Amino acid sequence: MSTVLDVKGLNCPLPILRTKKAIKDIAVGSVLEVIATDPGSVKDMEAFCKQTGNVLLESKDAGGTYTFKIERKA
């Protein structure tokens, strides 16, 4: 099951802060899909996953809208 978090229009550090909060609300093994427009979120999500032990399954850029699929591992 996938949960969607829409953080479009928010700038750093809000997308990562909202992601951090949302990932705690889903079960281990579930996927959080994050949709953002902040270009800085690409590196932020990669760093967030490395730091937290979660897995970045997918990172897509669709003309300035960034979609990330993060599997909760911890």
Side-chain angles (χ1 to χ4, degrees):
M1 189 176 142
S2 178
T3 302
V4 177
L5 175 66
D6 184 343
V7 291
K8 294 192 298 281
L10 299 178
N11 292 323
C12 188
L14 288 174
I16 207 72
L17 293 174
R18 299 265 171 99
T19 300
K20 193 174 186 178
K21 184 180 184 306
I23 203 112
K24 289 179 182 171
D25 293 339
I26 66 170
V28 172
S30 295
V31 174
L32 177 65
E33 183 174 337
V34 182
I35 304 166
T37 50
D38 179 11
S41 62
V42 176
K43 287 191 175 188
D44 288 346
M45 292 299 170
E46 289 172 7
F48 170 75
C49 288
K50 283 181 185 161
Q51 288 172 350
T52 59
N54 295 301
V55 178
L56 185 58
L57 300 172
E58 188 177 287
S59 178
K60 286 196 301 194
D61 175 3
T65 299
Y66 306 93
T67 304
F68 308 96
K69 289 190 179 174
I70 302 169
E71 182 181 356
R72 181 173 178 190
K73 287 293 187 182

Short mmCIF file of all heavy atoms in Angstrom, two decimals:
data_model
loop_
_atom_site.label_atom_id
_atom_site.label_comp_id
_atom_site.label_asym_id
_atom_site.label_seq_id
_atom_site.Cartn_x
_atom_site.Cartn_y
_atom_site.Cartn_z
N MET A 1 0.84 -1.19 0.00
CA MET A 1 0.00 0.00 0.00
C MET A 1 0.87 1.25 0.00
O MET A 1 1.93 1.28 0.61
CB MET A 1 -0.91 -0.01 1.22
CG MET A 1 -1.94 1.09 1.15
SD MET A 1 -3.08 1.00 2.54
CE MET A 1 -3.26 2.73 2.81
N SER A 2 0.40 2.26 -0.70
CA SER A 2 1.18 3.49 -0.84
C SER A 2 0.41 4.68 -0.26
O SER A 2 -0.78 4.81 -0.49
CB SER A 2 1.49 3.72 -2.32
OG SER A 2 2.20 4.90 -2.51
N THR A 3 1.10 5.51 0.49
CA THR A 3 0.54 6.74 1.04
C THR A 3 1.15 7.90 0.26
O THR A 3 2.34 7.90 -0.01
CB THR A 3 0.89 6.86 2.53
OG1 THR A 3 0.38 5.71 3.21
CG2 THR A 3 0.28 8.11 3.14
N VAL A 4 0.34 8.89 -0.10
CA VAL A 4 0.83 10.03 -0.87
C VAL A 4 0.93 11.26 0.02
O VAL A 4 0.00 11.58 0.75
CB VAL A 4 -0.08 10.31 -2.09
CG1 VAL A 4 0.40 11.54 -2.85
CG2 VAL A 4 -0.13 9.10 -3.01
N LEU A 5 2.08 11.92 -0.07
CA LEU A 5 2.31 13.17 0.65
C LEU A 5 2.58 14.26 -0.38
O LEU A 5 3.55 14.18 -1.13
CB LEU A 5 3.52 13.03 1.59
CG LEU A 5 3.96 14.30 2.32
CD1 LEU A 5 2.88 14.77 3.29
CD2 LEU A 5 5.27 14.08 3.04
N ASP A 6 1.70 15.25 -0.44
CA ASP A 6 1.84 16.34 -1.41
C ASP A 6 2.48 17.54 -0.72
O ASP A 6 1.86 18.16 0.14
CB ASP A 6 0.46 16.70 -1.97
CG ASP A 6 0.51 17.75 -3.06
OD1 ASP A 6 1.54 18.45 -3.19
OD2 ASP A 6 -0.49 17.90 -3.78
N VAL A 7 3.71 17.85 -1.09
CA VAL A 7 4.41 19.01 -0.52
C VAL A 7 4.75 20.03 -1.62
O VAL A 7 5.69 20.80 -1.49
CB VAL A 7 5.67 18.59 0.28
CG1 VAL A 7 5.27 17.86 1.55
CG2 VAL A 7 6.62 17.75 -0.55
N LYS A 8 3.96 20.02 -2.69
CA LYS A 8 4.19 20.96 -3.79
C LYS A 8 4.04 22.39 -3.28
O LYS A 8 3.16 22.68 -2.49
CB LYS A 8 3.22 20.71 -4.95
CG LYS A 8 3.43 19.39 -5.64
CD LYS A 8 2.67 19.26 -6.95
CE LYS A 8 1.19 19.34 -6.85
NZ LYS A 8 0.50 18.12 -6.41
N GLY A 9 4.92 23.27 -3.73
CA GLY A 9 4.87 24.67 -3.33
C GLY A 9 5.62 24.98 -2.06
O GLY A 9 5.80 26.14 -1.72
N LEU A 10 6.08 23.96 -1.35
CA LEU A 10 6.84 24.18 -0.12
C LEU A 10 8.33 24.14 -0.41
O LEU A 10 8.79 23.35 -1.23
CB LEU A 10 6.50 23.10 0.92
CG LEU A 10 5.04 23.03 1.37
CD1 LEU A 10 4.85 21.89 2.36
CD2 LEU A 10 4.59 24.34 1.99
N ASN A 11 9.07 25.01 0.26
CA ASN A 11 10.52 25.06 0.07
C ASN A 11 11.25 24.48 1.27
O ASN A 11 10.70 24.39 2.36
CB ASN A 11 10.98 26.50 -0.19
CG ASN A 11 10.47 27.02 -1.52
OD1 ASN A 11 10.42 26.28 -2.50
ND2 ASN A 11 10.08 28.27 -1.56
N CYS A 12 12.50 24.11 1.04
CA CYS A 12 13.37 23.54 2.05
C CYS A 12 13.32 24.41 3.31
O CYS A 12 13.34 25.63 3.20
CB CYS A 12 14.79 23.48 1.51
SG CYS A 12 15.92 22.59 2.55
N PRO A 13 13.20 23.84 4.47
CA PRO A 13 13.27 22.40 4.80
C PRO A 13 11.91 21.73 4.94
O PRO A 13 11.85 20.58 5.38
CB PRO A 13 13.98 22.41 6.15
CG PRO A 13 13.41 23.63 6.83
CD PRO A 13 13.21 24.65 5.70
N LEU A 14 10.81 22.42 4.58
CA LEU A 14 9.48 21.86 4.83
C LEU A 14 9.21 20.51 4.17
O LEU A 14 8.66 19.62 4.82
CB LEU A 14 8.40 22.88 4.45
CG LEU A 14 8.29 24.07 5.41
CD1 LEU A 14 7.30 25.09 4.89
CD2 LEU A 14 7.90 23.62 6.80
N PRO A 15 9.58 20.28 2.89
CA PRO A 15 9.31 18.95 2.32
C PRO A 15 9.94 17.81 3.11
O PRO A 15 9.30 16.79 3.36
CB PRO A 15 9.90 19.04 0.90
CG PRO A 15 9.83 20.50 0.57
CD PRO A 15 10.11 21.20 1.87
N ILE A 16 11.16 18.00 3.55
CA ILE A 16 11.84 16.92 4.28
C ILE A 16 11.26 16.78 5.68
O ILE A 16 11.12 15.65 6.18
CB ILE A 16 13.38 17.13 4.28
CG1 ILE A 16 14.09 15.78 4.41
CG2 ILE A 16 13.85 18.06 5.34
CD1 ILE A 16 14.02 14.92 3.21
N LEU A 17 10.87 17.86 6.31
CA LEU A 17 10.26 17.79 7.64
C LEU A 17 8.91 17.07 7.58
O LEU A 17 8.60 16.24 8.43
CB LEU A 17 10.09 19.19 8.24
CG LEU A 17 11.39 19.93 8.59
CD1 LEU A 17 11.08 21.35 9.05
CD2 LEU A 17 12.16 19.18 9.66
N ARG A 18 8.12 17.38 6.56
CA ARG A 18 6.81 16.72 6.40
C ARG A 18 7.00 15.23 6.07
O ARG A 18 6.24 14.40 6.54
CB ARG A 18 6.00 17.40 5.29
CG ARG A 18 5.71 18.86 5.55
CD ARG A 18 4.34 19.06 6.20
NE ARG A 18 4.16 20.43 6.64
CZ ARG A 18 3.47 21.34 5.94
NH1 ARG A 18 2.91 21.03 4.80
NH2 ARG A 18 3.34 22.56 6.43
N THR A 19 8.03 14.94 5.28
CA THR A 19 8.33 13.54 4.94
C THR A 19 8.72 12.77 6.18
O THR A 19 8.25 11.65 6.41
CB THR A 19 9.46 13.47 3.89
OG1 THR A 19 9.04 14.16 2.70
CG2 THR A 19 9.82 12.03 3.54
N LYS A 20 9.56 13.38 7.00
CA LYS A 20 10.02 12.74 8.23
C LYS A 20 8.83 12.40 9.14
O LYS A 20 8.76 11.31 9.71
CB LYS A 20 10.98 13.71 8.94
CG LYS A 20 11.79 13.11 10.05
CD LYS A 20 12.78 14.16 10.55
CE LYS A 20 13.72 13.59 11.57
NZ LYS A 20 14.70 14.56 12.01
N LYS A 21 7.89 13.33 9.24
CA LYS A 21 6.70 13.11 10.08
C LYS A 21 5.80 12.03 9.46
O LYS A 21 5.33 11.13 10.15
CB LYS A 21 5.93 14.42 10.21
CG LYS A 21 4.74 14.34 11.12
CD LYS A 21 4.04 15.69 11.21
CE LYS A 21 2.88 15.69 12.17
NZ LYS A 21 1.89 14.66 11.95
N ALA A 22 5.59 12.10 8.16
CA ALA A 22 4.67 11.16 7.49
C ALA A 22 5.20 9.73 7.50
O ALA A 22 4.42 8.79 7.61
CB ALA A 22 4.43 11.62 6.05
N ILE A 23 6.51 9.56 7.39
CA ILE A 23 7.08 8.21 7.33
C ILE A 23 6.88 7.49 8.67
O ILE A 23 6.74 6.28 8.72
CB ILE A 23 8.56 8.23 6.89
CG1 ILE A 23 8.94 6.86 6.29
CG2 ILE A 23 9.51 8.54 8.00
CD1 ILE A 23 9.22 6.88 4.83
N LYS A 24 6.80 8.26 9.75
CA LYS A 24 6.57 7.66 11.07
C LYS A 24 5.14 7.14 11.20
O LYS A 24 4.87 6.29 12.05
CB LYS A 24 6.83 8.70 12.17
CG LYS A 24 8.28 9.03 12.34
CD LYS A 24 8.47 10.08 13.43
CE LYS A 24 9.93 10.46 13.56
NZ LYS A 24 10.12 11.61 14.44
N ASP A 25 4.24 7.67 10.38
CA ASP A 25 2.83 7.30 10.47
C ASP A 25 2.45 6.10 9.61
O ASP A 25 1.29 5.69 9.60
CB ASP A 25 1.94 8.50 10.08
CG ASP A 25 2.05 9.63 11.07
OD1 ASP A 25 2.45 9.39 12.22
OD2 ASP A 25 1.74 10.78 10.69
N ILE A 26 3.41 5.56 8.85
CA ILE A 26 3.10 4.39 8.02
C ILE A 26 3.83 3.17 8.58
O ILE A 26 4.82 3.30 9.30
CB ILE A 26 3.45 4.62 6.52
CG1 ILE A 26 4.95 4.77 6.30
CG2 ILE A 26 2.68 5.82 5.97
CD1 ILE A 26 5.38 4.76 4.84
N ALA A 27 3.34 2.00 8.23
CA ALA A 27 3.92 0.76 8.74
C ALA A 27 5.26 0.46 8.06
O ALA A 27 5.48 0.86 6.91
CB ALA A 27 2.95 -0.38 8.48
N VAL A 28 6.12 -0.24 8.78
CA VAL A 28 7.39 -0.69 8.20
C VAL A 28 7.05 -1.58 7.01
O VAL A 28 6.16 -2.42 7.07
CB VAL A 28 8.24 -1.45 9.25
CG1 VAL A 28 9.45 -2.09 8.60
CG2 VAL A 28 8.66 -0.52 10.37
N GLY A 29 7.73 -1.35 5.89
CA GLY A 29 7.47 -2.10 4.66
C GLY A 29 6.52 -1.37 3.72
O GLY A 29 6.41 -1.72 2.55
N SER A 30 5.84 -0.35 4.23
CA SER A 30 4.94 0.44 3.38
C SER A 30 5.73 1.48 2.59
O SER A 30 6.87 1.78 2.91
CB SER A 30 3.89 1.16 4.23
OG SER A 30 3.04 0.22 4.85
N VAL A 31 5.09 2.04 1.57
CA VAL A 31 5.74 3.02 0.71
C VAL A 31 5.07 4.37 0.86
O VAL A 31 3.84 4.47 0.84
CB VAL A 31 5.70 2.56 -0.77
CG1 VAL A 31 6.24 3.64 -1.69
CG2 VAL A 31 6.48 1.27 -0.95
N LEU A 32 5.89 5.39 1.01
CA LEU A 32 5.42 6.78 1.04
C LEU A 32 5.80 7.42 -0.28
O LEU A 32 6.97 7.41 -0.66
CB LEU A 32 6.08 7.54 2.20
CG LEU A 32 5.71 9.02 2.32
CD1 LEU A 32 4.23 9.19 2.65
CD2 LEU A 32 6.57 9.70 3.39
N GLU A 33 4.81 7.94 -0.98
CA GLU A 33 5.07 8.66 -2.23
C GLU A 33 5.01 10.15 -1.93
O GLU A 33 4.00 10.65 -1.44
CB GLU A 33 4.03 8.28 -3.28
CG GLU A 33 4.28 8.93 -4.62
CD GLU A 33 3.31 8.45 -5.71
OE1 GLU A 33 2.76 7.34 -5.58
OE2 GLU A 33 3.12 9.21 -6.67
N VAL A 34 6.11 10.84 -2.20
CA VAL A 34 6.20 12.27 -1.91
C VAL A 34 6.24 13.03 -3.24
O VAL A 34 7.02 12.70 -4.13
CB VAL A 34 7.48 12.60 -1.10
CG1 VAL A 34 7.53 14.08 -0.76
CG2 VAL A 34 7.53 11.76 0.18
N ILE A 35 5.39 14.05 -3.36
CA ILE A 35 5.35 14.87 -4.57
C ILE A 35 5.76 16.28 -4.17
O ILE A 35 5.12 16.91 -3.33
CB ILE A 35 3.95 14.87 -5.20
CG1 ILE A 35 3.51 13.43 -5.48
CG2 ILE A 35 3.93 15.70 -6.48
CD1 ILE A 35 2.04 13.28 -5.78
N ALA A 36 6.85 16.77 -4.77
CA ALA A 36 7.41 18.07 -4.39
C ALA A 36 7.74 18.90 -5.63
O ALA A 36 7.86 18.36 -6.73
CB ALA A 36 8.68 17.85 -3.57
N THR A 37 7.91 20.21 -5.42
CA THR A 37 8.32 21.10 -6.51
C THR A 37 9.65 21.78 -6.20
O THR A 37 10.18 22.50 -7.04
CB THR A 37 7.24 22.17 -6.78
OG1 THR A 37 6.87 22.78 -5.55
CG2 THR A 37 6.00 21.55 -7.43
N ASP A 38 10.18 21.57 -5.01
CA ASP A 38 11.45 22.18 -4.62
C ASP A 38 12.61 21.36 -5.21
O ASP A 38 12.76 20.20 -4.86
CB ASP A 38 11.55 22.21 -3.09
CG ASP A 38 12.86 22.79 -2.59
OD1 ASP A 38 13.61 23.37 -3.40
OD2 ASP A 38 13.13 22.68 -1.39
N PRO A 39 13.42 21.96 -6.10
CA PRO A 39 14.53 21.22 -6.71
C PRO A 39 15.52 20.67 -5.68
O PRO A 39 16.13 19.63 -5.90
CB PRO A 39 15.23 22.25 -7.60
CG PRO A 39 14.28 23.38 -7.75
CD PRO A 39 13.35 23.34 -6.57
N GLY A 40 15.64 21.32 -4.54
CA GLY A 40 16.54 20.86 -3.50
C GLY A 40 16.09 19.56 -2.86
O GLY A 40 16.87 18.86 -2.21
N SER A 41 14.82 19.23 -3.07
CA SER A 41 14.29 18.00 -2.45
C SER A 41 14.93 16.74 -3.02
O SER A 41 14.94 15.71 -2.36
CB SER A 41 12.76 17.95 -2.58
OG SER A 41 12.37 17.91 -3.92
N VAL A 42 15.48 16.81 -4.23
CA VAL A 42 16.11 15.62 -4.83
C VAL A 42 17.28 15.15 -3.96
O VAL A 42 17.32 13.99 -3.53
CB VAL A 42 16.59 15.91 -6.27
CG1 VAL A 42 17.34 14.72 -6.84
CG2 VAL A 42 15.41 16.28 -7.16
N LYS A 43 18.20 16.05 -3.66
CA LYS A 43 19.33 15.69 -2.80
C LYS A 43 18.89 15.45 -1.37
O LYS A 43 19.42 14.58 -0.68
CB LYS A 43 20.41 16.76 -2.85
CG LYS A 43 21.16 16.75 -4.16
CD LYS A 43 22.40 17.60 -4.14
CE LYS A 43 23.10 17.41 -5.47
NZ LYS A 43 24.38 17.99 -5.58
N ASP A 44 17.90 16.23 -0.91
CA ASP A 44 17.40 16.08 0.46
C ASP A 44 16.82 14.68 0.70
O ASP A 44 17.08 14.07 1.73
CB ASP A 44 16.32 17.12 0.76
CG ASP A 44 16.89 18.53 0.90
OD1 ASP A 44 18.12 18.66 1.03
OD2 ASP A 44 16.09 19.49 0.89
N MET A 45 16.04 14.18 -0.25
CA MET A 45 15.41 12.86 -0.08
C MET A 45 16.46 11.75 -0.08
O MET A 45 16.37 10.80 0.69
CB MET A 45 14.37 12.60 -1.17
CG MET A 45 13.17 13.48 -1.08
SD MET A 45 12.24 13.30 0.45
CE MET A 45 11.13 14.68 0.29
N GLU A 46 17.47 11.89 -0.95
CA GLU A 46 18.56 10.90 -0.99
C GLU A 46 19.28 10.87 0.36
O GLU A 46 19.51 9.80 0.94
CB GLU A 46 19.56 11.23 -2.10
CG GLU A 46 19.02 10.99 -3.49
CD GLU A 46 19.96 11.51 -4.58
OE1 GLU A 46 21.09 11.94 -4.27
OE2 GLU A 46 19.53 11.49 -5.75
N ALA A 47 19.61 12.04 0.88
CA ALA A 47 20.31 12.14 2.16
C ALA A 47 19.43 11.63 3.30
O ALA A 47 19.90 10.92 4.18
CB ALA A 47 20.73 13.59 2.42
N PHE A 48 18.15 11.98 3.26
CA PHE A 48 17.21 11.55 4.30
C PHE A 48 17.16 10.02 4.37
O PHE A 48 17.22 9.44 5.45
CB PHE A 48 15.82 12.12 4.01
CG PHE A 48 14.73 11.54 4.87
CD1 PHE A 48 14.59 11.92 6.19
CD2 PHE A 48 13.84 10.61 4.35
CE1 PHE A 48 13.59 11.38 6.99
CE2 PHE A 48 12.84 10.06 5.14
CZ PHE A 48 12.72 10.46 6.46
N CYS A 49 17.07 9.38 3.21
CA CYS A 49 16.99 7.92 3.19
C CYS A 49 18.27 7.28 3.71
O CYS A 49 18.22 6.31 4.46
CB CYS A 49 16.66 7.43 1.78
SG CYS A 49 14.94 7.80 1.35
N LYS A 50 19.41 7.82 3.33
CA LYS A 50 20.69 7.28 3.82
C LYS A 50 20.80 7.43 5.33
O LYS A 50 21.24 6.52 6.02
CB LYS A 50 21.87 7.99 3.14
CG LYS A 50 22.12 7.51 1.73
CD LYS A 50 23.30 8.21 1.11
CE LYS A 50 23.44 7.79 -0.35
NZ LYS A 50 24.24 8.71 -1.12
N GLN A 51 20.39 8.57 5.85
CA GLN A 51 20.49 8.84 7.28
C GLN A 51 19.52 8.01 8.11
O GLN A 51 19.83 7.65 9.24
CB GLN A 51 20.23 10.33 7.57
CG GLN A 51 21.34 11.23 7.12
CD GLN A 51 20.96 12.71 7.23
OE1 GLN A 51 19.82 13.05 7.46
NE2 GLN A 51 21.94 13.57 7.05
N THR A 52 18.35 7.72 7.56
CA THR A 52 17.30 7.06 8.34
C THR A 52 17.21 5.56 8.10
O THR A 52 16.49 4.87 8.81
CB THR A 52 15.93 7.69 8.05
OG1 THR A 52 15.65 7.56 6.65
CG2 THR A 52 15.90 9.16 8.46
N GLY A 53 17.90 5.06 7.06
CA GLY A 53 17.84 3.64 6.77
C GLY A 53 16.63 3.25 5.93
O GLY A 53 16.39 2.06 5.70
N ASN A 54 15.87 4.22 5.47
CA ASN A 54 14.75 3.94 4.57
C ASN A 54 15.29 3.82 3.15
O ASN A 54 16.41 4.23 2.87
CB ASN A 54 13.69 5.03 4.68
CG ASN A 54 13.07 5.07 6.06
OD1 ASN A 54 12.49 4.10 6.52
ND2 ASN A 54 13.22 6.19 6.75
N VAL A 55 14.49 3.25 2.24
CA VAL A 55 14.96 2.99 0.88
C VAL A 55 14.25 3.90 -0.11
O VAL A 55 13.02 3.93 -0.18
CB VAL A 55 14.71 1.52 0.50
CG1 VAL A 55 15.17 1.25 -0.93
CG2 VAL A 55 15.43 0.59 1.46
N LEU A 56 15.06 4.64 -0.89
CA LEU A 56 14.51 5.46 -1.97
C LEU A 56 14.32 4.55 -3.18
O LEU A 56 15.27 4.20 -3.85
CB LEU A 56 15.45 6.63 -2.29
CG LEU A 56 14.97 7.64 -3.31
CD1 LEU A 56 13.65 8.29 -2.90
CD2 LEU A 56 16.02 8.71 -3.56
N LEU A 57 13.09 4.13 -3.41
CA LEU A 57 12.79 3.19 -4.48
C LEU A 57 12.79 3.87 -5.84
O LEU A 57 13.15 3.28 -6.85
CB LEU A 57 11.41 2.54 -4.27
CG LEU A 57 11.22 1.75 -2.98
CD1 LEU A 57 9.76 1.35 -2.84
CD2 LEU A 57 12.12 0.53 -2.96
N GLU A 58 12.35 5.14 -5.86
CA GLU A 58 12.19 5.84 -7.13
C GLU A 58 12.31 7.34 -6.91
O GLU A 58 11.88 7.87 -5.90
CB GLU A 58 10.81 5.50 -7.68
CG GLU A 58 10.53 5.98 -9.07
CD GLU A 58 9.15 5.53 -9.54
OE1 GLU A 58 8.98 4.32 -9.83
OE2 GLU A 58 8.25 6.38 -9.60
N SER A 59 12.93 8.00 -7.88
CA SER A 59 13.04 9.45 -7.87
C SER A 59 12.83 9.92 -9.31
O SER A 59 13.61 9.59 -10.18
CB SER A 59 14.42 9.86 -7.36
OG SER A 59 14.57 11.26 -7.39
N LYS A 60 11.73 10.66 -9.54
CA LYS A 60 11.42 11.10 -10.90
C LYS A 60 11.26 12.61 -10.95
O LYS A 60 10.76 13.21 -10.02
CB LYS A 60 10.10 10.47 -11.38
CG LYS A 60 10.19 9.01 -11.72
CD LYS A 60 9.00 8.53 -12.53
CE LYS A 60 7.68 8.73 -11.80
NZ LYS A 60 6.56 7.99 -12.40
N ASP A 61 11.68 13.17 -12.08
CA ASP A 61 11.49 14.60 -12.34
C ASP A 61 10.60 14.73 -13.56
O ASP A 61 10.99 14.34 -14.66
CB ASP A 61 12.84 15.27 -12.58
CG ASP A 61 12.73 16.74 -12.98
OD1 ASP A 61 11.60 17.26 -13.02
OD2 ASP A 61 13.76 17.36 -13.26
N ALA A 62 9.40 15.25 -13.37
CA ALA A 62 8.48 15.45 -14.48
C ALA A 62 8.30 16.95 -14.67
O ALA A 62 7.32 17.54 -14.23
CB ALA A 62 7.15 14.77 -14.19
N GLY A 63 9.29 17.58 -15.30
CA GLY A 63 9.22 19.00 -15.60
C GLY A 63 9.07 19.90 -14.39
O GLY A 63 8.25 20.80 -14.38
N GLY A 64 9.85 19.62 -13.34
CA GLY A 64 9.82 20.47 -12.17
C GLY A 64 8.93 19.96 -11.04
O GLY A 64 8.86 20.56 -9.98
N THR A 65 8.24 18.86 -11.30
CA THR A 65 7.50 18.18 -10.23
C THR A 65 8.25 16.89 -9.95
O THR A 65 8.47 16.08 -10.84
CB THR A 65 6.05 17.88 -10.64
OG1 THR A 65 5.40 19.12 -10.91
CG2 THR A 65 5.29 17.17 -9.53
N TYR A 66 8.68 16.75 -8.70
CA TYR A 66 9.52 15.62 -8.32
C TYR A 66 8.70 14.62 -7.52
O TYR A 66 7.98 14.99 -6.60
CB TYR A 66 10.71 16.11 -7.48
CG TYR A 66 11.47 17.20 -8.19
CD1 TYR A 66 11.17 18.55 -7.96
CD2 TYR A 66 12.45 16.91 -9.12
CE1 TYR A 66 11.84 19.56 -8.62
CE2 TYR A 66 13.13 17.91 -9.79
CZ TYR A 66 12.82 19.23 -9.54
OH TYR A 66 13.48 20.23 -10.22
N THR A 67 8.83 13.36 -7.91
CA THR A 67 8.11 12.28 -7.21
C THR A 67 9.11 11.32 -6.64
O THR A 67 10.03 10.86 -7.33
CB THR A 67 7.16 11.55 -8.18
OG1 THR A 67 6.29 12.51 -8.78
CG2 THR A 67 6.33 10.52 -7.45
N PHE A 68 8.95 11.01 -5.37
CA PHE A 68 9.86 10.09 -4.67
C PHE A 68 9.03 8.98 -4.05
O PHE A 68 7.97 9.24 -3.47
CB PHE A 68 10.61 10.82 -3.55
CG PHE A 68 11.28 12.08 -4.00
CD1 PHE A 68 10.65 13.30 -3.84
CD2 PHE A 68 12.52 12.03 -4.61
CE1 PHE A 68 11.25 14.48 -4.27
CE2 PHE A 68 13.12 13.21 -5.06
CZ PHE A 68 12.49 14.42 -4.88
N LYS A 69 9.51 7.76 -4.18
CA LYS A 69 8.86 6.64 -3.50
C LYS A 69 9.85 6.10 -2.49
O LYS A 69 10.95 5.68 -2.84
CB LYS A 69 8.44 5.58 -4.50
CG LYS A 69 7.28 6.03 -5.36
CD LYS A 69 6.69 4.94 -6.19
CE LYS A 69 5.53 5.50 -6.99
NZ LYS A 69 5.00 4.53 -7.93
N ILE A 70 9.46 6.17 -1.23
CA ILE A 70 10.34 5.80 -0.12
C ILE A 70 9.70 4.64 0.65
O ILE A 70 8.56 4.75 1.11
CB ILE A 70 10.55 6.99 0.83
CG1 ILE A 70 11.14 8.18 0.07
CG2 ILE A 70 11.44 6.59 2.01
CD1 ILE A 70 11.14 9.48 0.87
N GLU A 71 10.46 3.56 0.76
CA GLU A 71 9.98 2.41 1.53
C GLU A 71 10.48 2.54 2.96
O GLU A 71 11.67 2.73 3.19
CB GLU A 71 10.46 1.10 0.92
CG GLU A 71 9.94 -0.11 1.68
CD GLU A 71 10.42 -1.43 1.11
OE1 GLU A 71 11.12 -1.43 0.07
OE2 GLU A 71 10.13 -2.46 1.71
N ARG A 72 9.55 2.44 3.90
CA ARG A 72 9.95 2.55 5.32
C ARG A 72 10.61 1.24 5.77
O ARG A 72 10.03 0.17 5.66
CB ARG A 72 8.73 2.85 6.19
CG ARG A 72 9.17 2.97 7.64
CD ARG A 72 8.10 3.43 8.56
NE ARG A 72 8.66 3.46 9.91
CZ ARG A 72 7.96 3.63 11.00
NH1 ARG A 72 6.67 3.81 10.92
NH2 ARG A 72 8.55 3.62 12.17
N LYS A 73 11.81 1.36 6.27
CA LYS A 73 12.56 0.20 6.74
C LYS A 73 12.76 0.23 8.24
O LYS A 73 13.00 -0.79 8.85
CB LYS A 73 13.93 0.14 6.06
CG LYS A 73 13.89 -0.27 4.61
CD LYS A 73 13.44 -1.70 4.48
CE LYS A 73 13.56 -2.19 3.06
NZ LYS A 73 13.07 -3.55 2.91
N ALA A 74 12.73 1.43 8.84
CA ALA A 74 13.03 1.53 10.27
C ALA A 74 11.96 2.34 10.99
O ALA A 74 11.25 3.10 10.38
CB ALA A 74 14.38 2.20 10.45
#
